[in-house]
């Protein structure tokens, strides 16, 4: 199982939110590029980057910063946040980004997903964020009536290979992932690569996610709070392999 440390960018700084609440913001590093370099120096291979301003306003505000991050490290990078057009996807791919995550647009504009997958294949992932099983959109500010399992099936039918699933109620809480939801996802779309996001609080959480045969897991607050070390991350990856 691949474990991806997260860098969430808000107003040019690396931050952590609690349950997606922009008012509950903690700056974890004033310099996101330096944070990425720290991950690289520790032996991390790939990171998860979210442009929170982009998610909020529907643009790719921090694309120049993310481009610098890519150019100044040898890390593989997946990026999400505010990606709502094929032009934005093309821009990130041109910058060398390894995986582009379509979030809210996957629900609102499935044709965008279809076109992106047709053009870029495995470079496209879909981020499904849900609260009480219902898909959230627009930077988690709105909750739809669509069930997360239904959206996952629809994305599989469009040819999407990777899903990043986040239970909003768990994100940034250090209360443990929603293991049952990941079990359900694995059964509904067994052909897809599922990456767990939200709630990871310990090394044992990562091991338990690995036992579900998930493709990957994202670690955010658990690392920044010291609950999980980079050594833990590398050890779990090695153990699982």
């Amino acid at each position: 199982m691949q474990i991806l440390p997260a860098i969430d960018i808000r107003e040019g700084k690396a931050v952590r939110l609690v349950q997606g609440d922009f008012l509950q913001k903690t700056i974890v590093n004033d310099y996101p590029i330096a944070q990425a370099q720290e991950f690289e120096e520790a032996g991390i291979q790939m990171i998860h980057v979210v442009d929170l301003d982009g998610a909020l306003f529907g643009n790719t505000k921090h694309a120049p910063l993310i481009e610098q991050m890519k150019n100044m490290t040898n890390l593989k990078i997946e990026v999400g946040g505010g990606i709502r057009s094929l032009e934005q996807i093309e821009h990130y791919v041109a910058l060398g980004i390894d995986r582009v995550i379509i979030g809210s647009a996957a629900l609102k504009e499935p044709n965008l997903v279809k076109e992106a997958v047709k053009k870029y294949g495995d470079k496209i992932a879909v981020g499904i964020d849900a609260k009480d099983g219902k898909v959230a959109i627009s930077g988690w500010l709105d909750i739809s009536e669509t069930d997360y399992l239904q959206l996952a099936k629809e994305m599989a039918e469009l040819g999407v290979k990777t899903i990043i699933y986040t239970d909003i109620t768990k994100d940034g809480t250090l209360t443990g992932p929603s293991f049952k939801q990941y079990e359900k996802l694995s059964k509904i779309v067994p052909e897809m690569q599922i990456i767990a996001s939200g709630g990871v609080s310990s090394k044992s959480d990562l091991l338990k996610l690995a036992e579900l045969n998930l493709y990957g897991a994202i670690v955010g607050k658990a690392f920044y709070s010291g609950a999980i070390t980079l050594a833990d991350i590398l050890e779990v990856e090695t153990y699982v392999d």
Side-chain angles (χ1 to χ4, degrees), residues 106-107 126-137 143-156 163-168 177-189 192 194-197 214:
L107 179 63
V126 166
I128 299 180
D129 308 323
K131 184 175 183 180
D132 299 324
K134 300 299 183 181
V135 177
I137 55 177
I143 307 298
S144 72
E145 292 300 316
T146 302
D147 182 81
Y148 76 103
L149 295 173
Q150 179 60 36
L151 183 58
K153 287 191 290 185
E154 292 174 3
M155 293 302 103
I163 282 180
I164 298 160
Y165 178 71
T166 305
D167 180 350
I168 294 173
S178 298
F179 295 107
K180 290 184 179 180
Q181 293 185 356
Y182 292 114
E183 288 181 33
K184 290 178 182 178
L185 264 178
S186 295
K187 291 177 181 177
I188 289 292
V189 287
M192 301 188 82
I194 298 170
I195 299 177
S197 173
L214 300 186

Side-chain angles (χ1 to χ4, degrees), residues 26-43:
T26 301
I27 297 173
V28 295
N29 197 317
D30 288 325
Y31 306 101
I33 295 172
Q35 185 61 66
Q37 291 171 330
E38 178 184 335
F39 289 143
E40 181 184 27
E41 290 168 6

